[in-house]
């Protein structure tokens, strides 16, 4: 699964978590790794607590487009406050979140298809679309982190 490969890539980028490049991003590699893992863990928790009887499919052109092409344009969206660190980020914090993300994903993958979470821009995403979103979102931040390291 794509999200599993993304988590492996996060682990590979951990040694570079302090690296910055303001030409690429206002924040360092660690911020992107931390944010990605916060999103994975928060989405997984929302899915675990969802009630399948409350799931309603909804159409959103933006959601369909992003999930189809698999790319989030840079600098176009603002992250919710609950997935942004307001304190210093340490390598150990990222490692702990990575462990939690792996456990959470394994649990979520076993849940019913109508398990879901509500995305602030896309509306309700069923389990399959939620996992696709997580892969796309994590990859988006991994690309930024890789550009920070490369340049």
């Amino acid at each position: 699964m794509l999200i599993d490969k993304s988590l492996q890539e996060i682990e590979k980028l951990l040694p570079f978590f302090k690296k910055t490049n303001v030409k690429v991003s206002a924040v360092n590699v660690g911020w992107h790794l931390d944010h990605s893992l916060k999103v994975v863990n928060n989405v997984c928790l929302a899915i675990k607590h969802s009630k399948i009887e409350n799931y309603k499919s909804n159409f959103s052109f933006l959601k369909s487009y992003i999930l189809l092409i698999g790319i989030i344009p840079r600098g176009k969206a603002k992250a919710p406050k609950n997935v942004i660190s307001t304190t210093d980020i340490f390598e150990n914090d990222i490692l702990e979140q990575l462990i939690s993300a792996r456990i959470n994903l394994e649990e979520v993958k076993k849940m019913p298809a109508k398990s879901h979470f509500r995305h602030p821009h896309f509306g309700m995403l069923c389990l399959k679309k939620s996992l696709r979103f997580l892969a796309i979102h994590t990859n988006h931040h991994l690309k930024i982190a890789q550009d920070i390291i490369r340049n």
Side-chain angles (χ1 to χ4, degrees), residues 27 31 34-35 38-39 42 78-87 89:
V27 293
W31 185 94
D34 176 76
H35 169 70
K38 278 183 176 14
V39 169
N42 277 289
K78 188 172 176 163
K81 290 179 182 174
N82 67 322
V83 290
I84 297 176
S85 259
T86 56
T87 59
I89 299 166

Side-chain angles (χ1 to χ4, degrees), residues 96-109:
E96 287 176 16
Q97 289 182 78
L98 183 58
I99 291 165
S100 293
R102 287 184 167 132
I103 293 166
N104 283 328
L105 281 167
E106 286 310 309
E107 291 172 357
V108 162
K109 288 175 192 174

Side-chain angles (χ1 to χ4, degrees), residues 43-59:
V43 168
C44 285
L45 288 176
I47 291 169
K48 287 181 194 180
H49 291 104
S50 69
K51 296 188 181 344
I52 60 172
E53 63 272 12
N54 294 340
Y55 175 73
K56 278 190 204 172
S57 181
N58 63 301
F59 178 78

Side-chain angles (χ1 to χ4, degrees), residues 10-24:
I10 286 175
E11 192 167 15
K12 288 180 190 172
L13 295 182
L14 261 175
F16 304 97
F17 85 101
K18 287 186 179 181
K19 182 118 169 87
T20 60
N21 184 335
V22 292
K23 292 178 184 173
V24 177

Side-chain angles (χ1 to χ4, degrees), residues 3-150:
I3 187 63
D4 297 321
K5 288 183 181 181
S6 296
L7 294 183
Q8 290 172 359
E9 188 62 26
I10 286 175
E11 192 167 15
K12 288 180 190 172
L13 295 182
L14 261 175
F16 304 97
F17 85 101
K18 287 186 179 181
K19 182 118 169 87
T20 60
N21 184 335
V22 292
K23 292 178 184 173
V24 177
S25 176
V27 293
N28 66 15
V29 168
W31 185 94
H32 289 280
L33 303 181
D34 176 76
H35 169 70
S36 296
L37 291 166
K38 278 183 176 14
V39 169
V40 169
N41 286 315
N42 277 289
V43 168
C44 285
L45 288 176
I47 291 169
K48 287 181 194 180
H49 291 104
S50 69
K51 296 188 181 344
I52 60 172
E53 63 272 12
N54 294 340
Y55 175 73
K56 278 190 204 172
S57 181
N58 63 301
F59 178 78
S60 158
F61 176 77
L62 180 63
K63 171 179 72 175
S64 298
Y65 182 73
I66 299 290
L67 293 178
L68 177 68
I69 66 165
I71 297 171
I72 299 171
R74 285 190 189 180
K76 297 296 179 191
K78 188 172 176 163
K81 290 179 182 174
N82 67 322
V83 290
I84 297 176
S85 259
T86 56
T87 59
D88 290 339
I89 299 166
F90 299 99
E91 188 174 3
N92 201 40
D93 298 332
I94 296 170
L95 266 174
E96 287 176 16
Q97 289 182 78
L98 183 58
I99 291 165
S100 293
R102 287 184 167 132
I103 293 166
N104 283 328
L105 281 167
E106 286 310 309
E107 291 172 357
V108 162
K109 288 175 192 174
K110 298 172 187 169
M111 296 196 64
K114 288 188 178 182
S115 300
H116 60 278
F117 96 102
R118 184 178 299 279
H119 185 277
H121 302 292
F122 301 159
M124 277 196 191
L125 295 176
C126 66
L127 180 60
K128 182 178 177 182
K129 289 180 180 177
S130 294
L131 293 172
R132 171 90 173 130
F133 163 75
L134 287 176
I136 293 167
H137 178 266
T138 305
N139 192 47
H140 168 75
H141 286 281
L142 284 170
K143 285 180 183 177
I144 297 169
Q146 291 160 344
D147 285 351
I148 292 169
I149 293 164
R150 223 177 289 139

